[in-house]
Amino acid sequence: MEGIIVGLSVFVLASFVGFEVINKVPPTLHTPLMSGANAISGIAVIGALIVAGPHDWNVAVVLGFIAIILATINVVGGFLVTDRMLQMFKKKEVKA
Amino acid sequence: MTDFLPTAIQVVYLVAASLFIVGLKNLGSPATARKGNTLASVGMLLAVVVTLLDRSVLNYQLILLGLAIGSGIGAVAAYKVAMTDMPQMVGLLNGLGGAASALVAVGEFWRLRGTGDIPVDAIITMILGVLIGGVTLTGSLMAFAKLQGLISGSPITFPFQQGLNALLLIGFLIGSGYLFVAPENSIIFLGLVSVSLLLGVLVVLPIGGADMPVVISLLNSLSGIAASAAGFVVMNNMLIIAGALVGASGLILTQIMCKGMNRTLSSVLFSAFGSTNLTGGGPNVTATDKAVRTLDAEEGAMMLGYARSVVIVPGYGMAVAQAQHTIRELADQLERLGVDVKYAIHPVAGRMPGHMNVLLAEANVPYPQLYDMDDVNPEFERTDVALVVGANDVVNPAARHDTTSPVYGMPILEVDKAHNTIVIKRSLNPGFAGIDNELFYKAKTVMMFGGARDVVAKLVAEVKQL
């Protein structure tokens, strides 16, 4: 149970950090912020790595393997598409 | 030295978490946004690489294969996706994150079941992980299907919908309780998984297209919380921190979107927008009993070309017709004639937060020409022509005065205050909210019917001849 309490403290404090850090975002950045944050939520890949870690074949490892694929799509797709969007904003600022 | 590696891993996690925080902070400002995204991705890379050094991670071939497949698919998707399809893309990615988190919880359940000893706190975290991850997965898939047009974007309701949801939730709670008594019972556990997946579908099903910005940001937040839940399952602070950050940022966006529609989150989730509003005879009857003035491209071009100021109001119709480039062309032509051109962006125009901004950025519209609702509304009185392209509910004047209208109280772009209003729309059919728009019947309003891109292209051709 102690683990849960420690985790909960970390969770609550990190949430407050999140609220503070992102409190004022201009509408132009709403989509990139969302897709960038979305890519970060692919951090579940770490959990997937741990679950798929043992060197044998069982249900857990297979599920972990699938989770790795899905989370990696989330991470790579999310960061790249965000960069693609922000690149457009950049190009336009130079022009303006 | 035996515990050097675990300590080093934790330190690197801390660095990665800091990079996420700094990255998110930078994502909040246009000048630093790109750097912020890069910082966050470096944090992610660090976290993944250092996890591979963990002593319990041995399955390298399989893991690298998974990472390679995922990276390949992700990269191709990111470069292939059209900017107009961005809401679907974000929706789908949210779902994948949720799926991964749920799978981590399910996988951990199977691992612990194999050892024959499942501690109570593990049960709690696995149940939460499955519930949040599952709802995020199927909720996002439903949002994706609606945005992609695979299923109807309008609210889908059936009798006792809320009752069914409540029943499922109660069932979930009972099942969870039973799992504490019989932790090895995989049937019950799979039952909980199924109920979570079903709940996600049922929650998003009754939500209409116009509410999508709220739903997408909420699912974004949920995908973060799901990652946190997965962090509780494998007891990893890195996941908990990153998930909480995403949860917070998604919640902030959700709040902004709700404010943009003047609706509470619970009303978005639990009462299908416009479904209570029965328009009686439907759009065809309302179209015939009220007069609408239409305009051809030549007259439209004259009106725009000889105006001093034009405010363009884009909506979801622009995204559907992919008209952003043509609109930019029209704006260029008008500026050539000395017309002052601005763009007015409603916070919930389109299907996700910032949807219009992304599309106009793709078309190279200069950033200073985009105006937020609060800045541009006082300008309309001095504007010669407001050009509404595929927007509907966000310009409905009924929001100001008609207390019976479902949009009543929603902040709108006050295009009816401009000297003239041109509305480009495919037909008189009501928007996603399913309500008639009195703007179309006003004396100062003229309609141009057709797909946004065709109509604007005709306008461009005519303006060129002025």
Side-chain angles (χ1 to χ4, degrees):
Chain A
M1 265 317 176
E2 199 185 321
I4 291 194
I5 298 303
V6 173
L8 207 57
S9 316
V10 172
F11 176 75
V12 171
L13 294 178
S15 303
F16 276 106
V17 170
F19 278 117
E20 284 305 313
V21 164
I22 319 163
N23 57 8
K24 275 220 162 78
V25 193
T28 310
L29 289 176
H30 282 169
T31 302
L33 173 71
M34 191 169 61
S35 60
N38 179 235
I40 294 179
S41 78
I43 188 73
V45 70
I46 304 292
L49 290 175
I50 295 169
V51 171
H55 199 75
D56 50 8
W57 280 101
N58 56 41
V59 178
V61 170
V62 173
L63 292 175
F65 175 66
I66 300 172
I68 290 178
I69 297 179
L70 298 182
T72 313
I73 298 175
N74 187 187
V75 169
V76 175
F79 280 126
L80 286 180
V81 89
T82 308
D83 193 64
R84 215 182 118 197
M85 269 187 273
L86 291 170
Q87 211 172 354
M88 291 177 343
F89 291 135
K90 201 92 199 164
K91 201 167 58 191
K92 179 195 59 192
E93 265 165 52
V94 174
K95 240 182 153 174
Chain B
M1 279 307 275
T2 47
D3 58 4
F4 168 74
L5 202 56
T7 313
I9 290 177
Q10 291 305 320
V11 171
V12 176
Y13 278 165
L14 198 58
V15 173
S18 308
L19 283 171
F20 285 160
I21 294 173
V22 177
L24 277 172
K25 170 132 192 104
N26 284 340
L27 264 173
S29 150
T32 54
R34 204 167 170 209
K35 191 181 88 189
N37 188 51
T38 310
L39 284 178
S41 55
V42 170
M44 183 66 75
L45 189 66
L46 277 180
V48 170
V49 169
V50 82
T51 306
L52 292 177
L53 301 177
D54 191 296
R55 254 188 296 261
S56 65
V57 176
L58 305 161
N59 218 342
Y60 283 113
Q61 287 100 331
L62 189 70
I63 284 171
L64 290 177
L65 180 67
L67 289 173
I69 295 175
S71 305
I73 298 176
V76 170
Y79 284 109
K80 283 271 159 80
V81 66
M83 281 299 147
T84 39
D85 292 338
M86 207 47 86
Q88 293 92 303
M89 173 84 175
V90 175
L92 199 57
L93 289 177
N94 278 336
L96 294 180
S101 304
L103 283 173
V104 168
V106 178
E108 185 70 5
F109 174 79
W110 245 268
R111 191 183 70 79
L112 286 175
R113 208 174 74 102
T115 65
D117 172 41
I118 308 182
V120 175
D121 47 355
I123 297 178
I124 300 175
T125 57
M126 286 182 305
I127 290 173
L128 279 176
V130 163
L131 177 64
I132 305 172
V135 169
T136 310
L137 167 62
T138 50
S140 301
L141 288 180
M142 286 305 289
F144 172 78
K146 283 189 176 227
L147 290 164
Q148 188 75 27
L150 300 177
I151 57 171
S152 160
S154 42
I156 299 170
T157 52
F158 53 86
F160 308 116
Q161 202 158 10
Q162 301 300 348
L164 181 61
N165 288 351
L167 213 63
L168 281 173
L169 208 57
I170 292 170
F172 189 89
L173 289 176
I174 293 174
S176 306
Y178 189 74
L179 203 62
F180 286 102
V181 185
E184 264 99 81
N185 193 325
S186 54
I187 304 290
I188 290 287
F189 188 76
L190 288 177
L192 292 180
V193 175
S194 321
V195 171
S196 310
L197 296 175
L198 199 56
L199 268 175
V201 173
L202 289 173
V203 167
V204 178
L205 204 58
I207 299 176
D211 284 334
M212 273 304 154
V214 178
V215 176
I216 293 280
S217 11
L218 187 66
L219 287 169
N220 187 222
S221 177
L222 266 184
S223 74
I225 298 172
S228 269
F232 279 99
V233 170
V234 294
M235 274 306 155
N236 184 312
N237 279 343
M238 179 76 235
L239 267 77
I240 298 178
I241 295 174
L245 291 172
V246 179
S249 98
L251 221 57
I252 291 175
L253 280 176
T254 311
Q255 260 175 354
I256 298 176
M257 293 303 114
C258 282
K259 231 174 96 193
M261 314 181 78
N262 191 34
R263 305 188 66 205
T264 60
L265 185 57
S266 63
S267 84
V268 172
L269 291 181
F270 300 120
S271 64
F273 198 31
S275 61
T276 50
N277 178 60
L278 300 166
T279 38
N284 289 332
V285 174
T286 43
T288 47
D289 63 5
K290 277 184 267 182
V292 165
R293 290 200 299 142
T294 56
L295 201 67
D296 66 25
E298 197 184 342
E299 293 166 313
M302 302 256 244
M303 210 162 162
L304 290 166
Y306 294 116
R308 258 172 310 152
S309 52
V310 170
V311 175
I312 299 174
V313 181
Y316 185 52
M318 177 184 87
V320 173
Q322 310 231 11
Q324 64 271 28
H325 299 281
T326 328
I327 288 176
R328 164 82 212 258
E329 218 180 309
L330 178 65
D332 284 348
Q333 288 301 323
L334 291 175
E335 283 176 332
R336 183 181 60 87
L337 295 170
V339 183
D340 174 42
V341 181
K342 291 189 178 82
Y343 297 82
I345 313 290
H346 193 281
V348 296
R351 290 293 177 265
M352 69 174 168
H355 194 182
M356 296 297 121
N357 302 75
V358 171
L359 295 182
L360 292 173
E362 190 201 8
N364 278 322
V365 171
Y367 177 63
Q369 277 189 347
L370 307 188
Y371 286 78
D372 298 341
M373 181 168 60
D374 295 335
D375 299 326
V376 80
N377 264 343
E379 300 268 329
F380 277 115
E381 286 177 10
R382 294 187 292 269
T383 302
D384 290 329
V385 184
L387 179 65
V388 179
V389 187
N392 188 356
D393 298 325
V394 297
V395 293
N396 191 344
R400 279 201 305 263
H401 61 81
D402 183 0
T403 48
T404 61
S405 170
V407 291
Y408 178 70
M410 175 166 130
I412 57 160
L413 289 163
E414 302 179 325
V415 292
D416 56 320
K417 295 200 170 151
H419 301 168
N420 289 288
T421 308
I422 300 178
V423 179
I424 298 175
K425 216 173 166 304
R426 261 191 310 223
S427 68
L428 269 184
N429 284 337
F432 270 95
I435 36 178
D436 206 10
N437 192 336
E438 61 178 58
L439 174 73
F440 306 154
Y441 311 105
K442 294 216 166 196
K444 288 192 296 186
T445 307
V446 286
M447 308 288 296
M448 298 182 77
F449 291 114
R453 190 157 61 171
D454 301 338
V455 174
V456 176
K458 279 183 202 146
L459 281 173
V460 171
E462 292 292 339
V463 170
K464 271 185 185 162
Q465 295 176 15
L466 289 177

